[in-house]
């Protein structure tokens, strides 16, 4: 026996792999020939008999896309950057290149290419190491499938370990694949499975990433480069190792020419060319999105949808691996307007948060979400992953007290109960209110104690009606009006309009904020909740729950879910029309925020929470938007706005008119240019509608309330906005 042959036999015996090469063959492909290596024939046969013949093949993980309402890509999310395509959508040149370098006899042999395997073993043995692979494409696919589908570290190790058992298992599964599926199916699956380096899986994602083309458009230079990556994607990664990648590409070209795919002259011509890369990153997640916090809202909304799976983990897995097309409700044009408005008034490193939420009345579709702190991990740059614009269940922010924007709920409840718009109360500038005079919800304990309310900066005329009391945001007027409505009606109305109405208690839990000072906005709320609530007025009493998604499609374009509007009437149309008539005066001549007037009719309400936050919620018949600036440290804990710097300017005496309303106006004045002018409907059947309402302009809009007597001060009871004279017991109603 020659020295070379002795070396080969010794190498084969040491590896124990010849049982794979020669011991599994023919017909049922079980023909033990282990004697060559000294292994017992019976032992090998028993190992083969114990192995399953059929490989469970799961759908390949694919990236999902989030699109805005016009089809623009907001973000991609994935566990593996892959887009599965059929074989017919892969260029024939690319197919030939991969076959040439990996398994050129794929269509001629079965699960095992004995000739290639023996040649590889011989070459490896002579070289004293692994210099050539001999696995068929079917065997490679089995290995990659087992690794991809491994559900535990133990399974992953078993799928990749260098052992006789793994080789035998792979070959047995490969036999099953060849018996169950066509060659075309196996090749298609293989081309969609393999890793091409730089985070790309499958030939479609690789073609897009390295060259900016579809797999069906790959030319010879591109195809041969990608085919060369399969053997060792890291070593031949063209973005990190272009010289190695080019040398490997040339090997593929030579191999294709030697197999007759084209002439050697053509191979020589292509080898003279550069790789021609046009690398394009594929961001994963929301950080690099044009609407990062909208993107995050979409994901959290889907993760909470139990129709997508029984557990949150399963829902996340589906979204990140299902190749879904998520058609969102966002409008990138509106998003840019919102981002610009927030950025123009606040800076990321301010100890304050600027935010804006925009929704569509009558559908609940959320159009834009913007906040001043960008998404990211760098706190020194003002970055955060907290979404301050959405409710806590979607963004982990507890929200901020919304001040006198809550007065609109009391106004609506009063009109709904038949209280005329010209009803008048005496409204002194300071008043003490007995909580026993406020009716609670049925079955709930009565209120006790007392509290005082003042209108420090906005003196009352002495007597106010529902028009003047609302437009001037007179605190004491609303505390008197709530004695007529009771606390339960406006509280429950606000909940039905989308406001969660909870606040943290001393133990870190949440509890309902149903208290007599409710009109002054003591409950936490997010801008999206407030935009959703006021959209109910714009939609003439029909409330639609906020939603960021319209449809969900699978990787083949089939509709999985449609997210239809979830709407219900919560107010009479006449009541909403009357509220609109009252609130439009806030933006009209003499109103608190007249500087933000639009080209079409609009209405709104300011809110101020004792210097902690300022709000403006405004709307037209087509758009509802809530703007907020709230003092907050790096962790999002509320702090006073006064004394901080917002947008480069120190804040002294923060007001909704000066700080929140301009954010709303800057965005809405852009958005309304693309909308047809639509007016609010005049009210009918509401007593006192359209009365003369002399307006006293004011330049400040603050609230002030002291804690109930006989009780401990409540740190949650931040007071609403626009201070206005309070009503006392016994105030006469006209």
């Amino acid at each position: 026996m020659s020295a070379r042959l002795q070396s080969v036999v010794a190498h084969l015996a040491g590896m124990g792999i010849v049982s794979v090469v020669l011991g599994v063959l023919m017909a049922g492909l079980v023909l033990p020939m282990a004697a060559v290596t000294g292994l017992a024939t019976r032992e090998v046969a028993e190992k083969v008999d114990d192995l399953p013949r059929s490989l469970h093949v799961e759908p390949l993980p694919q990236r999902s896309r989030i699109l805005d309402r016009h089809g623009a890509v907001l973000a991609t999310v994935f566990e593996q950057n892959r887009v599965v395509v059929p074989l017919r959508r892969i260029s024939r040149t690319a197919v030939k290149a991969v076959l040439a370098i990996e398994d050129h006899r794929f269509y001629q042999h079965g699960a095992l290419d004995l000739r290639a395997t023996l040649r590889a073993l011989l070459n490896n043995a002579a070289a004293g190491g692994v210099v050539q692979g001999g696995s068929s494409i079917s065997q490679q696919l089995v290995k990659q499938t087992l690794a991809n589908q491994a559900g535990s570290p133990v399974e992953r190790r078993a799928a990749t370990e260098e052992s006789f058992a793994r080789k035998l298992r792979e070959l047995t599964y490969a036999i099953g694949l060849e018996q169950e599926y066509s060659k075309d199916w196996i090749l298609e699956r293989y081309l969609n499975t393999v890793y091409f380096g730089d985070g790309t899986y499958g030939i479609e994602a690789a073609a897009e990433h390295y060259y900016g083309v579809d797999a069906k458009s790959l030319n010879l230079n591109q195809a041969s480069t990608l085919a060369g990556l399969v053997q060792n994607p890291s070593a031949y990664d063209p973005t990190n190792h272009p010289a190695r990648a080019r040398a490997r590409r040339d090997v593929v070209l030579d191999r294709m020419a030697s197999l007759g795919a084209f002439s050697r002259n053509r191979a020589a011509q292509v080898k003279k060319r550069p790789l021609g890369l046009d690398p394009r990153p594929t961001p994963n997640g929301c950080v690099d999105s044009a609407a990062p916090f909208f993107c995050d809202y979409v994901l959290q909304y889907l993760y909470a949808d139990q129709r997508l799976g029984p557990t949150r983990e399963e829902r996340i897995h589906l979204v990140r691996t299902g190749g879904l097309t998520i058609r969102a409700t966002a409008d990138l044009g509106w998003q840019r307007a919102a981002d610009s408005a927030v950025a123009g008034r606040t800076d990321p490193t301010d100890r304050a948060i600027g935010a804006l939420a925009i929704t569509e009345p009558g559908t609940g579709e959320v159009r834009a979400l913007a906040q001043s702190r960008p998404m990211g991990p760098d706190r020194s740059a003002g970055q955060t992953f907290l979404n301050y614009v959405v409710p806590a269940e979607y963004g982990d922010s507890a929200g901020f007290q919304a001040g006198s924007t809550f007065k609109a709920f009391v106004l609506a409840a009063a009109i709904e109960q038949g209280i005329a718009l010209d009803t008048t109360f005496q409204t002194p500038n300071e008043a003490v209110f007995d909580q026993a005079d406020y009716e609670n919800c049925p079955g709930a304990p009565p209120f006790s104690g007392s509290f005082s309310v003042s209108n420090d900066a906005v003196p009352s005329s002495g007597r106010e009606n529902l028009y003047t009391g609302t437009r001037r945001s007179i605190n004491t007027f609303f505390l008197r009006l709530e004695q007529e409505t009771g606390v339960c009606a406006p509280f429950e109305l606000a909940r039905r309009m989308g406001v969660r109405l909870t606040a943290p208690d001393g133990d870190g839990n949440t509890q309902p904020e149903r208290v007599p000072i409710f009109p002054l906005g003591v409950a936490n709320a997010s801008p999206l909740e407030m935009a959703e609530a006021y959209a109910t007025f714009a939609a003439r009493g029909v409330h639609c729950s906020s939603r960021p998604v319209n449809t969900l499609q699978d990787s083949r374009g089939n509709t999985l879910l449609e997210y239809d509007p979830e709407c219900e009437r919560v107010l009479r149309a006449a009541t909403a029309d009357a509220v609109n008539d009252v609130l439009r005066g806030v933006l009209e001549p003499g109103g608190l925020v007249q500087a933000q007037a639009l080209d079409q009719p609009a209405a709104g309400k300011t809110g101020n929470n004792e210097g902690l936050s300022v709000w403006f919620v405004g709307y037209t018949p087509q758009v509802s938007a809530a703007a907020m600036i709230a003092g907050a440290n790096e962790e999002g804990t509320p702090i006073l706005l006064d004394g901080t710097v917002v947008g480069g300017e120190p804040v002294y005496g923060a007001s909704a008119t000066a700080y929140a309303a301009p954010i709303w106006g800057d965005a809405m004045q852009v958005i309304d240019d693309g909308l047809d002018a639509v007016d609010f409907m005049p009210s009918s059947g509401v007593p006192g509608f359209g009365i003369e309402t002399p307006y006293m302009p004011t330049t400040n809009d603050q609230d002030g309330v002291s804690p109930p007597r006989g009780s401990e001060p409540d740190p949650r009871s931040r007071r609403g906005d626009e201070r206005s004279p309070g009503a006392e017991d016994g105030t006469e109603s006209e």
Side-chain angles (χ1 to χ4, degrees):
M1 181 181 297
S2 68
R4 177 182 171 88
L5 184 55
Q6 287 178 344
S7 174
V8 171
V9 171
H11 186 72
L12 293 177
M15 293 177 62
I17 201 170
V18 78
S19 60
V20 175
V21 179
L22 300 174
V24 184
L25 216 53
M26 308 295 187
L29 291 182
V30 180
L31 182 60
M33 298 184 65
V36 178
T37 64
L39 294 175
T41 300
R42 181 176 302 173
E43 179 184 354
V44 176
E46 288 175 352
K47 286 181 180 293
V48 174
D49 288 340
D50 289 341
L51 290 171
R53 293 294 195 274
S54 178
L55 175 66
H56 173 63
V57 179
E58 298 175 357
L60 287 169
Q62 298 188 67
R63 71 182 185 222
S64 294
R65 299 181 304 159
I66 303 174
L67 310 181
D68 88 336
R69 63 193 301 261
H70 301 298
V73 177
L74 291 180
T76 54
V77 293
F78 51 84
E79 290 181 3
Q80 294 183 353
N81 181 19
R82 176 187 286 110
V83 179
V84 173
V85 292
L87 193 59
R88 68 178 182 275
R89 286 177 52 192
I90 303 172
S91 80
R92 297 308 302 165
T93 301
V95 171
K96 290 178 181 179
V98 172
L99 288 176
I101 200 65
E102 292 297 322
D103 188 357
H104 79 279
R105 297 182 62 252
F106 171 70
Y107 280 96
Q108 283 75 53
H109 63 68
L112 174 71
D113 185 354
L114 182 58
R115 184 191 305 174
T117 303
L118 287 173
R119 181 175 61 251
L121 288 170
L122 193 65
N123 292 336
N124 292 341
V130 179
V131 296
Q132 182 177 346
S135 296
S136 68
I137 279 179
S138 296
Q139 289 172 279
Q140 292 182 51
L141 177 58
V142 167
K143 179 180 179 180
Q144 293 158 0
T145 299
L146 291 174
N148 276 340
Q149 296 178 182
S152 68
V154 173
E155 291 180 357
R156 279 189 286 275
R157 284 194 298 271
T160 57
E161 66 182 1
E162 289 297 331
S163 69
F164 167 74
R166 178 180 69 80
K167 289 289 187 180
L168 192 58
R169 181 172 62 252
E170 286 177 4
L171 180 55
T172 308
Y173 277 135
I175 293 166
L177 279 180
E178 295 264 355
Q179 292 174 340
E180 188 171 354
Y181 298 102
S182 69
K183 286 283 190 177
D184 282 352
W185 186 94
I186 294 171
L187 180 59
E188 175 183 298
R189 176 84 177 191
Y190 175 81
L191 291 170
N192 282 298
T193 300
V194 292
Y195 181 56
F196 285 90
D198 209 22
T200 58
Y201 294 81
I203 196 165
E204 176 72 11
E208 292 177 2
H209 173 65
Y210 291 113
Y211 291 106
V213 300
D214 295 329
K216 66 182 178 182
S217 302
L218 289 167
N219 60 33
L220 180 56
N221 182 32
Q222 297 164 343
S224 55
T225 301
L226 296 185
L229 300 180
V230 175
Q231 184 187 76
N232 194 331
S234 297
Y236 298 130
D237 182 344
T239 59
N240 295 321
H241 308 291
R244 292 182 197 170
R246 184 166 182 170
R248 178 64 176 169
R249 177 205 66 180
D250 294 349
V251 170
V252 176
L253 291 169
D254 287 339
R255 178 64 173 163
M256 294 178 73
S258 69
L259 293 172
F262 45 78
S263 69
R264 293 189 180 277
N265 183 53
R266 187 181 179 195
Q269 291 176 344
V270 176
K271 287 162 67 174
K272 294 178 183 178
R273 301 175 188 171
L275 295 177
L277 297 177
D278 183 16
R280 303 183 182 192
T282 305
N284 185 9
C286 297
V287 172
D288 295 314
S289 171
F293 288 101
F294 194 104
C295 167
D296 184 70
Y297 175 41
V298 168
L299 294 180
Q300 298 306 320
Y301 186 84
L302 294 176
Y303 296 162
D305 188 348
Q306 296 185 7
R307 294 176 296 176
L308 300 181
T311 67
R312 181 177 175 85
E313 291 71 23
E314 290 176 278
R315 298 190 285 270
I316 292 174
H317 182 73
L318 172 62
V319 171
R320 293 183 61 83
T321 67
L324 306 178
T325 297
I326 303 160
R327 298 192 177 275
T329 61
D331 186 304
L332 276 181
W334 292 22
Q335 181 67 47
R336 285 189 288 269
D339 288 335
S340 178
V342 172
R345 303 286 177 171
T346 52
D347 294 329
T349 55
D350 289 345
R351 288 175 65 80
I353 295 163
L356 181 66
I358 305 175
T359 67
E360 181 180 74
T363 67
E365 294 186 7
V366 182
R367 291 285 183 252
L369 300 175
Q371 68 180 48
S372 57
R373 293 184 181 174
M375 183 176 287
D378 188 354
R379 287 191 176 183
S380 65
Q383 295 178 353
T384 182
F385 287 104
L386 289 178
N387 191 340
Y388 292 99
V389 196
V390 298
E393 64 263 34
Y394 300 122
D396 293 326
S397 169
F400 298 88
Q401 294 170 328
S404 289
T405 58
F406 274 32
K407 289 173 181 171
F409 305 129
V410 181
L411 171 67
I415 298 171
E416 190 81 348
Q417 292 177 4
I419 297 175
L421 290 168
D422 56 359
T423 299
T424 304
F425 300 123
Q426 291 182 353
T427 51
N429 286 327
E430 293 186 7
V432 176
F433 293 89
D434 188 342
Q435 295 201 87
D437 293 333
Y438 294 87
E439 185 178 354
N440 204 343
C441 291
F447 299 111
S448 61
S450 61
F451 59 93
S452 64
V453 175
S454 63
N455 305 296
D456 296 341
V458 185
S460 169
S461 63
R463 297 177 70 83
E464 307 285 351
N465 59 39
L466 272 68
Y467 275 101
T468 62
T470 303
R471 290 178 174 180
R472 302 179 62 225
S473 199
I474 305 298
N475 292 343
T476 52
F477 173 81
F478 272 91
L479 269 300
R480 177 64 184 88
L481 181 61
E482 191 187 29
Q483 290 178 346
E484 303 298 317
T485 66
V487 176
C488 192
F491 178 87
E492 291 301 328
L493 176 61
R495 294 183 69 170
R496 294 184 69 190
M497 292 171 69
V499 186
R500 273 59 171 174
L501 292 177
T502 57
D505 62 18
D507 298 323
N509 302 311
T510 58
Q511 61 185 19
E513 279 287 356
R514 191 175 65 240
V515 290
I517 55 174
F518 171 80
L520 306 185
V522 297
N524 287 339
S526 66
L528 182 56
E529 289 171 78
M530 297 309 297
E532 174 182 326
Y534 274 55
T536 306
F537 300 137
R540 305 189 69 210
V542 175
H543 167 256
C544 299
S545 298
S546 294
R547 57 185 173 85
V549 180
N550 276 324
T551 61
L552 209 61
Q553 296 173 317
D554 65 17
S555 59
R556 297 183 178 181
N558 301 313
T559 299
L560 294 177
L561 284 176
E562 292 185 354
Y563 290 83
D564 297 322
E566 296 181 3
C567 304
E568 67 167 339
R569 178 167 292 283
V570 299
L571 290 170
R572 293 182 301 120
T575 297
D577 294 338
V579 171
N580 298 336
D581 193 59
V582 173
L583 294 184
R584 67 188 299 170
V586 175
L587 288 105
E588 293 176 345
L592 285 172
V593 292
Q594 57 184 322
Q596 307 304 324
L598 307 180
D599 296 333
Q600 59 179 300
K605 182 71 186 72
T606 52
N608 189 324
N609 175 32
E610 284 195 340
L612 287 170
S613 59
V614 290
W615 293 70
F616 182 71
V617 188
Y619 58 95
T620 73
Q622 300 159 287
V623 185
S624 178
M628 175 201 78
I629 296 180
N633 62 19
E634 291 78 4
E635 290 75 34
T637 304
I639 61 174
L640 283 172
L641 277 172
D642 282 356
T644 65
V645 174
V646 175
E649 298 293 333
V651 176
Y652 300 105
S655 72
T657 302
Y659 288 92
I663 292 178
W664 182 91
D666 290 349
M668 289 294 292
Q669 286 169 3
V670 173
I671 291 169
D672 85 328
D673 287 344
L675 301 175
D676 295 332
V678 179
D679 202 351
F680 295 109
M681 295 291 291
S683 183
S684 59
V686 174
F689 178 82
I691 63 170
E692 291 296 322
T693 54
Y695 195 89
M696 181 183 296
T698 60
T699 58
N700 207 322
D701 49 347
Q702 310 289 325
D703 276 331
V705 184
S706 62
R709 294 176 184 170
S711 65
E712 293 295 322
D714 184 353
R716 294 177 290 107
S717 299
R718 307 298 180 191
R719 307 306 169 233
D721 93 336
E722 299 74 47
R723 300 178 185 269
S724 140
E728 314 178 292
D729 286 342
T731 300
E732 181 180 359
S733 174
E734 297 180 352

